[in-house]
Amino acid sequence: MDVREWALIAFTILSQMAVGSFIILGIVYFFAARKWGEEEADRLSDRALLAIGPVLVLGTLASLFHLGNPLNAYRAIANVGSSWLSREILANVLFIGVGAVFAFMQWRKISTSATRNVVALVAAAIGVVLVFSMSQIYMLRTAPAWDTIATPITFFTTTFLLGALAVGAAYVANYAYVQRKEPGCADTQCEIMRSTLRWLALASVVLVGVHLVVLPLYVAYLASSDVAAANDAVNVLMGDYGVVFALRLVLVFVGAGILGAFLYRNASSPGREKILGNLAYAAFAVVLVAEVMGRFLFYAMQTRIGL
Amino acid sequence: MGEQNFLVNAVTNTVLNRRSFLKWNAALGGTAVLAKGGLSFGLEKSDKAAAQADEKIVWSACLVNCGSRCPLRLHVRDGEIVRVETDDTGDAEYGTHQLRCCVRGRSIRQRVYNPDRLKYPMKRVGKRGEGKFERISWEEAYDTIASELQRIIDEYGNEAVYINYATGALGGTVAKSWPPGSSPIARLMNCVGGYLNHYGTYSSAQMSTAMPYTYGSRSSNSIEDIINTKLVVMFGNNICETSMGGGGGKVFALQAMKEQSGAKFILFDPRYSETAVSVVDEWIPIRPGTDAALVAAMAYVMITEDLHDQEFLDEYCVGFDEDHMPEDVPAGLSYKSYVMGDGEDGMPKTPEWAAKITGVPAETIVRVAREIALTKPCFITQGLGPQRQANGEQNCRAIAMLPILTGNVGIHGGNTGVSEGGYGIRVMGFPTLDNPVKASISVFMWYEAILRGAEMTALADGVRGVDQLPAPIKFMWNYAGNTIVNQHSDSNATVKQLEDDSLCEMIVVIENHMTPSAKLADILLPDITNFEQNEITSGSAGNTGYAIALSQAIEPQFECRPIYEMCAEIAKRLGVEEEFTEGRTHDEWLEWVVEETRKNNPDFPDYETFREMGIYKVTNPGEPSVAYADFREDPEANPLSTPSGKIEIFSKDLYDIANTWEIPEGDVITGIPVYAATWEGYEDPLREKYPLQMIGHHYKARTHSSYHNVEWLRKAAPQEVWMNPLDAEERGLELGDMVHVYNDRGRLKLPVKVTPRIAPGVISVPQGAWYEPNKDGVDEGGCVNTLTALRPSPLAKANPQHTNLVQVEKA
Amino acid sequence: MANQLAFYFDVARCTGCKACQVACQDKHDLPADMRWRRVAEYSGGEWVRNQDGSFTQNVFAYYVSVACNHCEKPICQEVCPASAITKRDDGIVLIDEDKCIGCRYCEWACPYAAPQFDEDSGTMSKCTLCVDYIDAGQLPACVAACPSRALEVGELSELRAKYGDLAEVAPLPEAKLTEPAMIIKPNAKTKPVLAKAGRLANPEEV
Ligand SMILES: Nc1nc2c(c(=O)[nH]1)N[C@H]1C(S)=C(S)[C@@H](COP(=O)(O)OP(=O)(O)OC[C@H]3O[C@@H](n4cnc5c(=O)[nH]c(N)nc54)[C@H](O)[C@@H]3O)O[C@H]1N2
Ligand SMILES: Nc1nc2c(c(=O)[nH]1)N[C@H]1C(S)=C(S)[C@@H](COP(=O)(O)OP(=O)(O)OC[C@H]3O[C@@H](n4cnc5c(=O)[nH]c(N)nc54)[C@H](O)[C@@H]3O)O[C@H]1N2
Ligand code: SF4
Ligand code: SF4
Ligand code: SF4
Ligand code: SF4
Ligand code: SF4
Ligand SMILES: [Mo]
């Protein structure tokens, strides 16, 4: 592991979080707007939406650190025809672009909300393509530990898990802000936040379930594979980095599972916003750490067929 | 990723990845210059589009001591060697083949342009061995050496001046370090009354001493005679690693002979060597130092099954059975008596008996004995590994018993059991005059001769030429050698002894690099390499003999000077300049050598032509040579030069030596070759404390210690200790773990190569790595001689460096 | 590719000497850690200690010298985002340093570990098949270096006609992954691709 691999970890985690947040935000917005009206939904989401921008830019910058020759970075999209890396970069650029257009339109309330929704849908679709491309980069026929369905599943799970918890945390922060600056709307916002957090908590519990189902299956698959490189990967996971692997499982379980469950319970009964907020922050932080560890392991398991 | 802790790994790599940060620094507009320089000395990336036009190509050669002398064609641009190629004359057909150099020759740039290169003359300051030196002028260096030399000669006599064994420049003609008697130093010393000489070599002392007792000399069929054989049986013969190059190297010849003859190859070696990898069909692992036991058991099988060649034994040999023994020798001393258990020990040498000792299963011994006896002809040969043992003299004579028992001596496709030869052309040497001093010691005994020189005798210490040495060694010349510390045994002990400068008072080291031996010098002179002067070399590559005219490729580096000039300058100060030079320069001597060569061999090109050709090759016009063919044809008319004129399975001379020499407890000298259990052998009780037998094979990464400091080679073939998985498992070791290898003499630290390619109970630390003790005295360089013993072998009084007991543990 | 160039490698002749590797480093001024050609050692076998102190075994070992195989299906080229990797008409696969962004994706992908990262330039490097020598009608440095003539270079179809078409043995990857332009002559010790009989014995050196 050197600077480059940390750069990749940062890049993939941050951009997946951004895509996840964008989509989750969209979904929440959709329901919130129907129930509480667009104005309240805007009030809930706009600031969170704007926060995605820096995350994305940060991720993209991090990705540059992964390059040995960053001065040539513009060439990274030269081979969209066959390179998933090119496709990823292209999708990343497009996602930033369309996302920024949407954020700008949304912020300034340009055009109709229907048009804005279309733009948002396009951005979301590009986001999905981005995460998909990312996963395809690793689905190399020469990298058996990566070349499994677990890669896209994991990437998308990470996307939505981090997205959900990031959005949850953002709402908590947003609520705190609203409470101070626009006390008039605090009650409604509180209600929206609570009900949203409940759903987000539920989603993250389900997503952690996906992780906890996929991971063992994946390890079992690698271990039973007759490709030596796959077995080597298991050895990395269970041997050299066994502690990290175990910790990652515990953290994701604690973060998304246990804290998620608490979050759900707390969000269901009124009062104690402070605890609720801290729970949301904690869940996000713990899962973020867990996912970084997961991604670290993902790269550590890079075992290739052949020499 | 290995066993490294994840955090340490992540942090060190992240924080310390200097280059990636520099890269970033550069990308962000920082100082790009920082990233350059200091990376690889002399290895700037060449301009991709650079024209080849400004390059010249110079014929040169690699002249270190690996048995080869390979042609190199150096590309020189702006006074710098920028690329190395090898012979481009000839083709890929054996006989007209290109003499391609080995991996080391390929790396020559990193040896010439090496950060360890000595730059100017230096004298020691501080304690000897501390490695502290001060730059001096050449004048001061010459003056000091001349006056010290004169003082020591005056005080102790010429016998106190020793020219140490040194093979770093053995391939040259004038700039030649080996044999020391043929070096310019010897010529210088012979002009001023001579020097204490030595006999034998670290390479083959036991074999060279022992074989003549059997055959009267140490001859063998040439390697190309394998073409005429059906079965090749090798003992500790690792041609594919010890003879790697094309010039003089035998590996290409061996492979070609195997392909052309279709012969089966069997190898007895504790290691599955590179030769086992490439040419051997059946590898039979054997414990070090036990070959004689194996041979005795095979003889047992042959005799009991009547597979031996009784007629041959009767007609050509002495000492096989009681009917063919010399007179005045008691009964029961014949080889047959020994094998059948009718001799002194009363022990029949059955396959079961040998299996316990050698590790070779009894069935295998029986099967291979039959195969050898029934396949005619059979080419039996040995490397020098089996003889570099505490019982090495016995081993090599014992191995020769197989061709003798089966009548394979003196015929095509057979051999004598001695290392195979090749076809060569003779080039005249540089005349070094006669040495007035008659005394000589065994090559391995200089350590003793420093300590108790004046007590050493012929009968106890193998001193030759005189009954007793008159003086201890007080002055040591060391030109192109690393035996002072690195290649001799027990490095810790030798260093300790030499640190006392009241014993050996003056050590002059003439070197290219700051080696472990150089660090012990009183005066350290920087020699030029053979790429910085003209030279001539010659060699033999299977059926091809050749000579190379090396032309100076680059200017002498730094203040380095040629050896001839150094000796001439010292001669001048000793008042013998005229005798030394005879008015000739180094290059004029080379011309003289060619002229002299042409007197015997008119086909040899004249000096100018030779220099233009670069390489001169001659393919053997005749048949592959067969040792003792004329003897085999007519033993009466062409007797061997043994006392009896026959093959002496029993040597009366050895028998007499056994009865007259003062032989230390445990040393065995016998008329016939027997298995002698030795100190630190497989049967030594010391194995309870040090259970592993350690050998130190000659390694592709180096020629002995030469090339050790070449980065390309260190990465290509790292210094590591070979260990069998069974032994590794007992110690919880895995491939790449750092281990300590130790015994009472010292301790090494190096990584372990856990490999099925070595027998259980045996480890090998490739010899030649530089001795680098850390502050705790642990040798982190991994020099095998930190662990080897100073005790000489019985007859040759030579280095038993493959006989050692050690233990290994995780570092 | 009609004129695809290829390497030929004879297992029986290889002594693992690495003259090829170092000749390449010398030719291309490579630092010690950068090995465009490498020599893998594959060895295995079991040892049994017998009751009587003897031992039995079935040990084997051999070497495989590999560089870039200038594959017919070069996965490196397929994945390179910068289109920095091209394949010439004679099959030689080259990396254009000026286009390379140093993402190391080709390094992940190539099952022969052929592309190697140059820390100094920040770009990828690999065996060029000594394209300058080839264009000048000379043998590549590694081929010209092999003291045992275990290596040859030639036109793929011609080499196949001469030596057959085996391009995979342990510990190399399956040929189907990239269709390497390489032909291997095995010996009796050589194990088939994906064999479990031994292991790569010198992982640090390749
Ligand atoms: N344990 C163990 N020890 C052994 C052996 C073994 O099998 N096991 N083998 C033994 C054998 S067979 C031998 S032959 C000896 C060899 O031992 P040495 O004769 O000492 O050979 P090298 O170690 O190669 O040392 C040669 C030195 O010459 C220097 N040199 C090279 N070229 C030049 C030159 O042009 N000019 C000058 N001035 N110096 C030069 C090199 O830098 C190097 O330091 O080692 C013996 N030592
Ligand atoms: N690459 C390289 N080549 C060299 C040299 C070098 O340093 N490096 N040195 C050169 C010189 S000067 C010399 S003298 C020669 C030395 O050539 P050798 O002395 O033949 O080389 P070694 O490696 O000492 O031993 C050869 C083989 O003998 C095995 N062996 C050791 N002990 C025994 C034993 O008791 N019985 C049996 N059957 N086998 C045993 C070892 O495992 C090894 O494979 O090599 C020359 N060639
Ligand atoms: S080390 Fe020996 S084989 Fe290698 S190039 Fe030099 S002379 Fe030739
Ligand atoms: S030079 Fe030839 S024999 Fe030596 S490792 Fe390379 S391919 Fe094998
Ligand atoms: S060996 Fe690797 S780098 Fe070379 S062409 Fe094939 S895939 Fe590309
Ligand atoms: S490192 Fe360079 S050559 Fe390799 S894939 Fe990336 S851009 Fe292409
Ligand atoms: S063909 Fe040239 S670049 Fe490729 S491995 Fe051989 S020497 Fe190196
Ligand atoms: Mo030697």
Side-chain angles (χ1 to χ4, degrees):
Chain A
M1 287 279 156
D2 63 14
V3 173
R4 288 188 207 92
E5 261 129 299
W6 285 112
L8 277 183
I9 294 171
F11 167 63
T12 55
I13 292 276
L14 289 176
S15 38
Q16 284 171 16
M17 189 167 93
V19 170
S21 307
F22 189 87
I23 293 173
I24 299 276
L25 212 52
I27 295 170
V28 172
Y29 182 87
F30 177 76
F31 288 108
R34 286 174 96 191
K35 199 165 169 193
W36 289 283
E38 274 187 23
E39 199 188 325
E40 288 295 340
D42 285 349
R43 182 168 290 130
L44 176 73
S45 300
D46 279 4
R47 271 179 286 267
L49 178 65
L50 289 181
I52 294 176
V55 171
L56 258 177
V57 172
L58 209 69
T60 308
L61 276 181
S63 80
L64 286 178
F65 273 88
H66 150 65
L67 301 183
N69 194 9
L71 300 178
N72 264 356
Y74 70 92
R75 290 201 51 89
I77 51 170
N79 192 12
V80 175
S82 78
S83 172
W84 279 105
L85 185 49
S86 278
R87 292 170 189 161
E88 175 212 57
I89 301 297
L90 188 65
N92 189 55
V93 169
L94 289 177
F95 182 67
I96 293 181
V98 180
V101 167
F102 170 71
F104 188 72
M105 289 169 78
Q106 176 70 12
W107 180 38
R108 290 293 174 87
K109 298 294 175 289
I110 295 169
S111 190
T112 63
S113 71
T115 317
R116 292 203 298 271
N117 285 350
V118 171
V119 177
L121 271 179
V122 171
I126 296 172
V128 171
V129 171
L130 169 57
V131 175
F132 181 73
S133 305
M134 271 183 186
S135 70
Q136 290 308 300
I137 288 177
Y138 303 99
M139 292 189 68
L140 288 164
R141 59 182 182 274
T142 53
W146 284 348
D147 189 15
T148 77
I149 187 77
T151 299
I153 294 180
T154 314
F155 276 26
F156 277 107
T157 309
T158 302
T159 300
F160 292 116
L161 190 52
L162 280 178
L165 291 173
V167 167
Y171 282 177
V172 170
N174 185 56
Y175 172 68
Y177 179 83
V178 171
Q179 244 183 345
R180 263 185 292 131
K181 299 277 159 124
E182 304 164 79
C185 330
D187 286 353
T188 325
Q189 279 296 314
C190 186
E191 191 191 330
I192 302 178
M193 183 190 70
R194 271 183 190 290
S195 113
T196 311
L197 278 183
R198 217 168 47 231
W199 284 107
L200 291 177
L202 202 61
S204 60
V205 173
V206 171
L207 286 166
V208 80
V210 176
H211 260 336
L212 295 180
V213 170
V214 170
L215 266 174
L217 284 178
Y218 172 58
V219 171
Y221 160 80
L222 288 184
S224 65
S225 163
D226 50 30
V227 179
N231 312 148
D232 290 349
V234 181
N235 292 340
V236 170
L237 205 56
M238 311 302 273
D240 293 355
Y241 292 124
V243 180
V244 185
F245 182 55
L247 208 60
R248 177 235 184 328
L249 284 179
V250 170
L251 284 184
V252 80
F253 183 69
V254 169
I258 300 183
L259 291 181
F262 275 118
L263 199 58
Y264 182 81
R265 268 194 42 203
N266 257 294
S268 308
S269 45
R272 301 204 286 181
E273 275 81 26
K274 188 107 187 165
I275 297 180
L276 187 61
N278 285 341
L279 269 177
Y281 287 141
F284 173 59
V286 171
V287 170
L288 183 61
V289 171
E291 290 297 333
V292 167
M293 289 169 85
R295 197 52 50 85
F296 172 89
L297 289 171
F298 179 80
Y299 288 108
M301 278 168 64
Q302 193 236 349
T303 50
R304 197 195 39 225
I305 281 176
L307 293 176
Chain B
M1 222 147 325
E3 73 296 342
Q4 253 195 36
N5 171 285
F6 133 76
L7 271 178
V8 172
N9 202 342
V11 170
T12 48
N13 286 336
T14 304
V15 177
L16 300 178
N17 195 318
R18 182 183 75 97
R19 283 180 181 164
S20 68
F21 274 111
L22 286 172
K23 179 73 216 168
W24 269 95
N25 194 11
L28 302 172
T31 42
V33 241
L34 267 180
K36 278 241 165 205
L39 291 178
S40 38
F41 190 81
L43 272 188
E44 282 305 301
K45 268 246 160 69
S46 60
D47 185 359
K48 261 185 285 179
Q52 310 288 297
D54 54 352
E55 273 179 22
K56 62 172 179 175
I57 296 181
V58 180
W59 275 95
S60 190
C62 174
L63 302 182
V64 295
N65 177 21
C66 66
S68 304
R69 265 123 250 210
C70 296
L72 301 175
R73 282 164 47 254
L74 306 176
H75 294 231
V76 180
R77 195 194 305 143
D78 296 333
E80 190 193 340
I81 305 169
V82 293
R83 185 86 65 250
V84 176
E85 287 188 271
T86 185
D87 187 17
D88 63 348
T89 68
D91 51 31
E93 288 308 310
Y94 178 69
T96 47
H97 56 285
Q98 294 172 358
L99 306 179
R100 294 180 174 179
C101 75
C102 86
V103 62
R104 298 179 294 281
R106 284 283 166 181
S107 73
I108 202 76
R109 281 200 291 152
Q110 291 195 339
R111 208 170 133 238
V112 176
Y113 302 116
N114 193 292
D116 286 331
R117 272 289 301 257
L118 298 174
K119 299 187 175 62
Y120 26 72
M122 294 193 282
K123 71 172 181 204
R124 154 167 76 96
V125 289
K127 223 172 130 250
R128 188 190 276 157
E130 256 183 332
K132 289 194 189 132
F133 293 96
E134 196 177 277
R135 180 177 182 168
I136 55 174
S137 69
W138 275 104
E139 298 307 305
E140 184 182 344
Y142 294 145
D143 291 344
T144 313
I145 293 169
S147 65
E148 279 297 289
L149 189 56
Q150 194 60 61
R151 177 184 67 79
I152 284 169
I153 290 175
D154 293 346
E155 224 167 290
Y156 304 96
N158 283 72
E159 284 86 351
V161 181
Y162 185 65
I163 308 181
N164 203 9
Y165 177 89
T167 63
L170 94 168
T173 295
V174 176
K176 180 185 183 69
S177 66
W178 187 91
S182 304
S183 69
I185 312 259
R187 188 177 166 95
L188 167 68
M189 287 310 303
N190 289 339
C191 293
V192 294
Y195 62 97
L196 176 65
N197 204 351
H198 60 247
Y199 61 87
T201 63
Y202 283 84
S203 309
S204 61
Q206 288 88 331
M207 179 182 277
S208 306
T209 305
M211 287 325 304
Y213 289 102
T214 300
Y215 289 121
S217 68
R218 179 198 149 181
S219 301
S220 58
N221 292 23
S222 78
I223 192 167
E224 43 170 337
D225 198 38
I226 288 179
I227 201 165
N228 295 314
T229 202
K230 295 212 181 68
L231 176 64
V232 177
V233 182
M234 309 172 110
F235 288 82
N237 195 0
N238 187 14
I239 288 175
C240 292
E241 188 160 15
T242 60
S243 213
M244 294 171 76
K250 296 178 195 159
V251 53
F252 184 64
L254 188 69
Q255 289 172 328
M257 289 306 100
K258 178 176 170 79
E259 281 166 19
Q260 290 175 26
S261 68
K264 178 184 174 184
F265 278 57
I266 296 176
L267 170 70
F268 290 96
D269 194 309
R271 292 183 317 119
Y272 191 103
S273 64
E274 310 302 26
T275 306
V277 168
S278 177
V279 298
V280 166
D281 301 289
E282 184 178 4
W283 171 56
I284 305 175
I286 180 171
R287 291 199 177 95
T290 66
D291 298 75
L294 177 91
V295 170
M298 290 210 264
Y300 182 90
V301 175
M302 290 178 193
I303 294 168
T304 49
E305 300 186 8
D306 198 22
L307 301 174
H308 60 300
D309 189 338
Q310 186 70 43
E311 269 170 49
F312 178 83
L313 293 163
D314 287 349
E315 188 176 354
Y316 295 94
C317 308
V318 171
F320 172 65
D321 48 32
E322 298 295 324
D323 297 339
H324 299 84
M325 289 293 279
E327 279 153 32
D328 320 324
V329 170
L333 293 182
S334 71
Y335 193 67
K336 190 173 174 184
S337 298
Y338 167 70
V339 168
M340 302 312 292
D342 301 329
E344 283 172 315
D345 64 2
M347 166 75 76
K349 306 303 177 300
T350 62
E352 291 70 26
W353 166 82
K356 286 193 196 72
I357 299 167
T358 60
V360 183
E363 316 85 76
T364 309
I365 298 177
V366 173
R367 174 171 56 80
V368 177
R370 288 177 188 155
E371 194 171 351
I372 291 174
L374 296 172
T375 315
K376 298 250 157 84
C378 174
F379 190 101
I380 295 161
T381 174
Q382 62 183 303
L384 302 174
Q387 61 93 54
R388 208 173 292 110
Q389 294 277 355
N391 52 10
E393 296 92 342
Q394 299 284 8
N395 290 335
C396 61
R397 282 187 81 223
I399 291 166
M401 283 310 300
L402 287 176
I404 294 170
L405 287 164
T406 52
N408 273 301
V409 179
I411 59 171
H412 274 297
N415 188 25
T416 55
V418 177
S419 313
E420 55 300 306
Y423 177 77
I425 44 181
R426 264 185 62 82
V427 173
M428 182 58 70
F430 170 60
T432 54
L433 312 173
D434 285 332
N435 184 359
V437 170
K438 291 298 159 238
S440 74
I441 56 173
S442 154
V443 66
F444 188 60
M445 299 293 274
W446 59 267
Y447 172 90
E448 289 290 310
I450 289 176
L451 211 57
R452 49 179 193 91
E455 295 154 31
M456 284 170 64
T457 66
L459 292 185
D461 306 290
V463 171
R464 291 189 189 166
V466 292
D467 291 338
Q468 185 157 12
L469 278 191
I473 294 172
K474 288 290 174 187
F475 187 114
M476 189 142 81
W477 286 103
N478 191 72
Y479 160 47
N482 205 356
T483 44
I484 292 185
V485 178
N486 217 80
Q487 298 305 108
H488 192 63
S489 293
D490 202 342
S491 308
N492 290 330
T494 45
V495 167
K496 198 151 175 267
Q497 185 209 63
L498 291 170
E499 276 171 0
D500 180 353
D501 59 9
S502 71
L503 292 169
C504 181
E505 295 173 16
M506 185 73 183
I507 301 176
V508 178
V509 174
I510 304 165
E511 250 298 342
N512 297 139
H513 298 130
M514 186 53 98
T515 65
S517 293
K519 288 185 181 153
L520 281 156
D522 296 311
I523 297 285
L524 187 46
L525 303 180
D527 190 14
I528 56 177
T529 64
N530 58 269
F531 311 101
E532 295 152 54
Q533 64 190 324
N534 293 325
E535 259 301 338
I536 289 173
T537 194
S538 63
S540 150
N543 64 351
T544 307
Y546 64 94
I548 302 167
L550 294 79
S551 293
Q552 180 176 352
I554 53 173
E555 287 302 308
Q557 301 291 292
F558 315 105
E559 273 188 29
C560 300
R561 289 192 183 173
I563 181 74
Y564 184 77
E565 184 183 320
M566 295 180 211
C567 291
E569 287 286 339
I570 295 165
K572 185 160 87 188
R573 284 162 177 76
L574 293 168
V576 291
E577 186 184 16
E578 179 52 34
E579 291 96 313
F580 180 81
T581 64
E582 292 180 32
R584 291 192 183 89
T585 63
H586 176 275
D587 283 7
E588 283 163 357
W589 274 114
L590 293 181
E591 277 181 57
W592 179 90
V593 158
V594 170
E595 287 321 306
E596 291 297 309
T597 302
R598 280 163 57 79
K599 283 183 188 159
N600 291 320
N601 177 4
D603 291 342
F604 199 91
D606 65 65
Y607 189 70
E608 284 311 311
T609 316
F610 183 33
R611 207 149 270 302
E612 258 158 49
M613 291 168 78
I615 191 165
Y616 169 67
K617 295 185 198 171
V618 182
T619 305
N620 181 4
E623 289 281 297
S625 69
V626 173
Y628 315 127
D630 53 348
F631 166 70
R632 182 74 190 251
E633 203 122 289
D634 187 346
E636 302 299 320
N638 311 303
L640 297 181
S641 48
T642 53
S644 62
K646 295 192 173 185
I647 296 173
E648 299 202 342
I649 296 172
F650 179 93
S651 160
K652 178 76 174 18
D653 283 353
L654 282 178
Y655 176 76
D656 289 342
I657 285 176
N659 292 325
T660 45
W661 282 17
E662 296 161 32
I663 298 172
E665 178 74 31
D667 279 11
V668 177
I669 299 177
T670 48
I672 52 163
V674 303
Y675 165 67
T678 64
W679 52 272
E680 299 199 31
Y682 176 63
E683 298 186 76
D684 188 333
L686 184 66
R687 233 162 46 77
E688 295 199 351
K689 185 171 175 202
Y690 297 121
L692 298 167
Q693 288 184 273
M694 181 190 73
I695 57 174
H697 64 279
H698 290 228
Y699 193 31
K700 61 187 155 196
R702 298 176 294 269
T703 298
H704 308 291
S705 71
S706 296
Y707 283 100
H708 163 89
N709 48 349
V710 167
E711 190 66 16
W712 279 333
L713 297 174
R714 291 168 69 93
K715 285 286 163 63
Q719 179 67 356
E720 53 196 2
V721 47
W722 291 37
M723 179 181 261
N724 184 281
L726 298 179
D727 295 317
E729 203 184 329
E730 282 170 13
R731 291 163 178 80
L733 300 173
E734 279 178 43
L735 180 72
D737 283 350
M738 285 306 272
V739 296
H740 279 161
V741 184
Y742 65 96
N743 59 19
D744 288 342
R745 292 178 287 267
R747 187 175 281 264
L748 308 180
K749 186 178 173 192
L750 74 178
V752 62
K753 178 184 173 87
V754 177
T755 172
R757 292 177 57 183
I758 190 163
V762 184
I763 66 164
S764 185
V765 175
Q767 67 102 6
W770 286 10
Y771 171 72
E772 275 166 34
N774 64 17
K775 58 179 187 334
D776 303 320
V778 176
D779 175 9
E780 296 189 349
C783 175
V784 69
N785 284 318
T786 299
L787 304 176
T788 55
L790 285 166
R791 177 167 176 177
S793 66
L795 181 66
K797 304 291 178 204
N799 48 320
Q801 284 160 311
H802 290 334
T803 302
N804 311 279
L805 290 180
V806 298
Q807 178 58 295
V808 172
E809 66 189 22
K810 202 163 188 159
Chain C
M1 195 146 302
N3 302 312
Q4 171 79 50
L5 286 172
F7 286 117
Y8 162 76
F9 175 73
D10 181 348
V11 177
R13 284 192 160 242
C14 183
T15 62
C17 74
K18 300 196 178 181
C20 49
Q21 173 180 317
V22 172
C24 175
Q25 290 177 311
D26 177 63
K27 157 84 172 77
H28 299 280
D29 295 318
L30 303 181
D33 283 322
M34 208 187 282
R35 300 170 269 240
W36 288 356
R37 180 171 280 285
R38 288 135 300 130
V39 183
E41 178 191 341
Y42 191 75
S43 60
E46 299 299 319
W47 282 87
V48 180
R49 281 198 182 104
N50 303 324
Q51 285 283 296
D52 64 353
S54 67
F55 23 71
T56 26
Q57 46 76 35
N58 57 351
V59 173
F60 69 91
Y62 59 89
Y63 293 97
V64 186
S65 170
V66 267
C68 167
N69 296 302
H70 303 277
C71 303
E72 296 197 280
K73 228 169 76 187
I75 193 172
C76 55
Q77 185 188 29
E78 199 179 307
V79 304
C80 173
S83 290
I85 303 184
T86 50
K87 195 166 168 67
R88 301 207 316 179
D89 286 345
D90 57 5
I92 299 181
V93 174
L94 292 172
I95 296 179
D96 184 342
E97 271 187 43
D98 296 335
K99 291 185 179 162
C100 174
I101 62 174
C103 66
R104 307 181 76 155
Y105 195 11
C106 50
E107 188 187 9
W108 282 351
C110 169
Y112 300 93
Q116 294 175 11
F117 192 65
D118 180 340
E119 299 278 354
D120 291 335
S121 66
T123 54
M124 202 47 77
S125 74
K126 72 168 189 65
C127 158
T128 63
L129 223 152
C130 288
V131 69
D132 52 339
Y133 281 4
I134 291 283
D135 289 346
Q138 257 178 283
L139 286 181
C142 55
V143 175
C146 179
S148 308
R149 279 73 172 176
L151 287 171
E152 282 178 32
V153 71
E155 214 275 300
L156 181 62
S157 55
E158 280 170 26
L159 288 173
R160 281 197 177 138
K162 215 161 134 193
Y163 299 114
D165 60 1
L166 182 66
E168 49 178 27
V169 298
L172 298 184
E174 288 170 286
K176 67 176 188 206
L177 293 170
T178 65
E179 295 179 12
M182 167 180 49
I183 288 155
I184 298 170
K185 181 180 171 194
N187 67 357
K189 293 154 190 163
T190 315
K191 304 292 177 226
V193 68
L194 303 183
K196 303 263 188 218
R199 67 166 173 173
L200 177 66
N202 60 347
E204 297 295 318
E205 296 166 35
V206 294

